[in-house]
Amino acid sequence: MNRKLILVIIFCFFDIFQMISHEKTVLSNVEKYKQFGLVWGLLKYHHSEVSKGNYNWDEIFVENVDKLEGVQTQTNLDSFLLNFVVSVEESKIKTDTNMDNVFTKNFDYKWIEQYSGNKELYIKLKKLENNTSIGSYYTSKSGIPTFENEKGFKAFDYKIKSHRLLELFSFWNVIQYYYVNKYLMDKNWFSQLEYFVDDFSNAKTNLEYELAKTKLIVSLNDSHSYYFAKPVSDSLLKFKPPFEIKIVNDTLVITGILNKLGKKDDLKLGDLIVEVNGMDIKSFQKQKIGAKFSSSNDSYLKKWANRWLMRNTKDSIKVKIKRENYITTKYIHLYKTFTDKDYSSLPFFQIEKEWQLIDDNIGYINLKTISKEDITKAFEAFSNTNGIIIDLRNYPKNISGDDITKYTYPDREEFIKVLSPLGNRPSLASFSKPSISIIIDPFKSGGKNSKYYNKKIVLLVDHTTQSKAEYIGMAIQASPTCITVGENTAGSVMNIAIFKLPDGTEFRFTTMGAFYPDGTGVQRKGLKIDHYVKETTSNFTEDQYILKGIELIKK
């Protein structure tokens, strides 16, 4: 027999086999929910009529999810999805496939290809993929997404599966189409969808439901996305230790203690906890804190670890403690409340004033609460100093970057590039500037100043430097004499969006991407660091950040 004819017969047989399999294989509920949620989300953000808010799209989701129980095979599901798509008014299509000068790393519509066997459904979905004739009911058309029309779902009940799935797909789709930092997640967003569907569809209790939601938010890897529901906190943080801790490298140091309760377990200030429940501190932190708090990087986890790491569901916890040459493993008591008021803490070095001279002729400015007027006074007083240390291990309350850079720049300078989502092209973004740039460019700072401060400026940052603080930090870093000292910052720089989920929960995420003018990204990484501070368990009570700043200025 002719070889080509044999190959044709084989391929035909294979196609027939696939078609039969397509028609007869019974789909899992997870797969049905997943495919329907994808199509529902595509229409929400791409369909000209749905995106105008002309339909109660949440109600329609709940009604149709319940109908999926009667759908068995992929062929049946294709028909169901086609009927769903054509049940809404025909979409006005204005196609734009031009990808020049746009950011495409979040563009992901490959899932539509699975419907290529159903020509009518496939064509309709493909047209929506590139449709730009869309409304702004569910998000704005500006470069900063807003979601004012997400009001929640009336009579939401976590006990109802369709309501839980609505919660999931409302969250999943807004991230799919409007989270410009999606490409930076540890795990591919699409690849996690089946696990999320399984968690939400099978959640039997309020705790299981809240844990599924927590896992969803944690997966964003965004330090702006804090969420810690009461059922979760109650399940993890019932009992607390009679002491405070600080993470120094991979060790917990007892920095403050209620003396009577501490004495009960022979605990002292300065004791080093090197293991908890048989795990090293790094592993324990990852298991307990990293799985419950969304964070752009490990440095930011310290914020929550210092506060929650030693809390427990039981009234005791197993620790390994090191004190000089003495090491012991034991259970220590934890408490719901404390009556002991006899408190002691380690003597930390601290500068009380917002600005002052330190170490002979070095200026120090703390940006946390300083006013614009005091910044002016400080730079006037520091004009002849050997250098200035600017402390940004905080969140400035009263100032902007311009209040600093007008003294530290010789000319107006670009300090940041910003990636913004395109309002009429979901999943795409660009580095274009906002309309206000016609009047003044918000991504530039400083001004012409022949008398700018040209001695060394040392900027201090750590894991508490976040959001507005990081934005101000980027502006200060563009000063020609700036050196940055510290540890990785929180890695969540720009504006936040607030999205109300169907159950009424408001969650936040970073709406834009921040980059240095040279193209280096800041989201997740944090600010560029010139000199990392190495704290040890023997030197951390003295401010190693300030000491390093003094050393660099004196060099």
Side-chain angles (χ1 to χ4, degrees), residues 41-77:
L42 181 72
L43 268 66
K44 179 176 182 178
Y45 292 114
H46 282 268
H47 192 286
S48 61
E49 298 305 313
V50 177
S51 61
K52 290 177 184 175
N54 291 340
Y55 294 83
N56 187 333
W57 208 233
D58 287 355
E59 191 69 52
I60 285 172
F61 178 95
V62 170
E63 290 172 359
N64 281 276
V65 162
D66 289 336
K67 295 175 184 176
L68 287 170
E69 296 296 329
V71 175
Q72 298 298 317
T73 67
Q74 186 63 53
T75 300
N76 297 150
L77 183 58

Side-chain angles (χ1 to χ4, degrees), residues 328-340:
T328 184
T329 299
K330 60 184 176 182
Y331 283 89
I332 57 174
H333 291 86
L334 304 177
Y335 305 85
K336 284 185 178 180
T337 57
F338 304 123
T339 55
D340 183 8

Side-chain angles (χ1 to χ4, degrees), residues 168-349:
L168 166 62
F169 282 105
S170 295
F171 185 107
W172 192 90
N173 280 293
V174 74
I175 296 301
Q176 173 74 353
Y177 294 116
Y178 284 101
Y179 183 41
V180 297
N181 297 305
K182 182 180 71 171
Y183 72 102
L184 293 172
M185 292 181 188
D186 283 346
K187 295 180 181 178
N188 176 273
W189 188 234
F190 191 92
S191 71
Q192 300 178 77
L193 183 53
E194 287 186 15
Y195 300 107
F196 295 147
V197 173
D198 190 52
D199 283 348
F200 276 81
S201 61
N202 292 317
K204 299 295 189 296
T205 65
N206 191 27
L207 177 59
E208 288 177 354
Y209 166 67
E210 288 295 348
L211 285 171
K213 195 160 59 173
T214 299
K215 187 188 298 184
L216 193 63
I217 294 173
V218 166
S219 66
L220 298 185
N221 302 122
D222 183 357
S223 297
H224 270 141
S225 300
Y226 172 80
Y227 178 72
F228 206 37
K230 192 174 187 302
V232 178
S233 63
D234 287 349
S235 72
L236 298 173
L237 312 175
K238 197 172 184 180
F239 297 93
K240 53 190 175 182
F243 55 81
E244 293 179 340
I245 58 167
K246 176 181 172 68
I247 294 182
V248 181
N249 297 324
D250 294 329
T251 301
L252 305 180
V253 186
I254 296 179
T255 58
I257 194 166
L258 293 168
N259 293 308
K260 292 177 183 177
L261 295 178
K263 189 175 182 181
K264 183 176 179 180
D265 288 320
D266 187 28
L267 299 173
K268 294 183 179 180
L269 286 174
D271 278 353
L272 309 180
I273 300 174
V274 294
E275 283 185 9
V276 181
N277 289 342
M279 301 174 68
D280 63 80
I281 302 304
K282 189 173 183 179
S283 300
F284 185 64
Q285 175 181 277
K286 186 174 182 180
Q287 179 199 69
K288 187 166 185 177
I289 303 297
K292 299 297 184 293
F293 293 93
S294 187
S295 62
S296 299
N297 53 51
D298 288 345
S299 180
Y300 180 73
L301 284 178
K302 287 183 182 180
K303 177 177 180 178
W304 305 116
N306 288 340
R307 192 178 302 177
W308 306 120
L309 192 59
M310 291 301 294
R311 293 201 173 196
N312 201 14
T313 54
K314 300 177 181 178
D315 63 359
S316 66
I317 194 167
K318 184 181 178 183
V319 297
K320 179 184 281 189
I321 293 178
K322 183 177 180 183
R323 183 189 303 160
E324 297 176 351
N325 296 321
Y326 165 77
I327 297 177
T328 184
T329 299
K330 60 184 176 182
Y331 283 89
I332 57 174
H333 291 86
L334 304 177
Y335 305 85
K336 284 185 178 180
T337 57
F338 304 123
T339 55
D340 183 8
K341 304 298 181 184
D342 182 17
Y343 177 81
S344 298
S345 63
L346 292 176
F348 285 93
F349 171 82

Side-chain angles (χ1 to χ4, degrees), residues 29 140 189 248 250 263 310 359 363 377 418 457 495 551:
N29 283 334
S140 65
W189 188 234
V248 181
D250 294 329
K263 189 175 182 181
M310 291 301 294
D359 200 80
K377 291 176 184 177
V418 174
I457 294 171
N495 303 51
E551 175 194 331

Side-chain angles (χ1 to χ4, degrees), residues 373-400:
E373 293 75 19
D374 277 336
I375 282 181
T376 298
K377 291 176 184 177
F379 272 96
E380 287 174 354
F382 296 159
S383 59
N384 294 314
T385 54
N386 297 326
I388 298 174
I389 294 172
I390 298 178
D391 201 336
L392 191 53
R393 294 172 293 173
N394 49 57
Y395 189 89
K397 293 179 173 63
N398 306 316
I399 64 162
S400 68

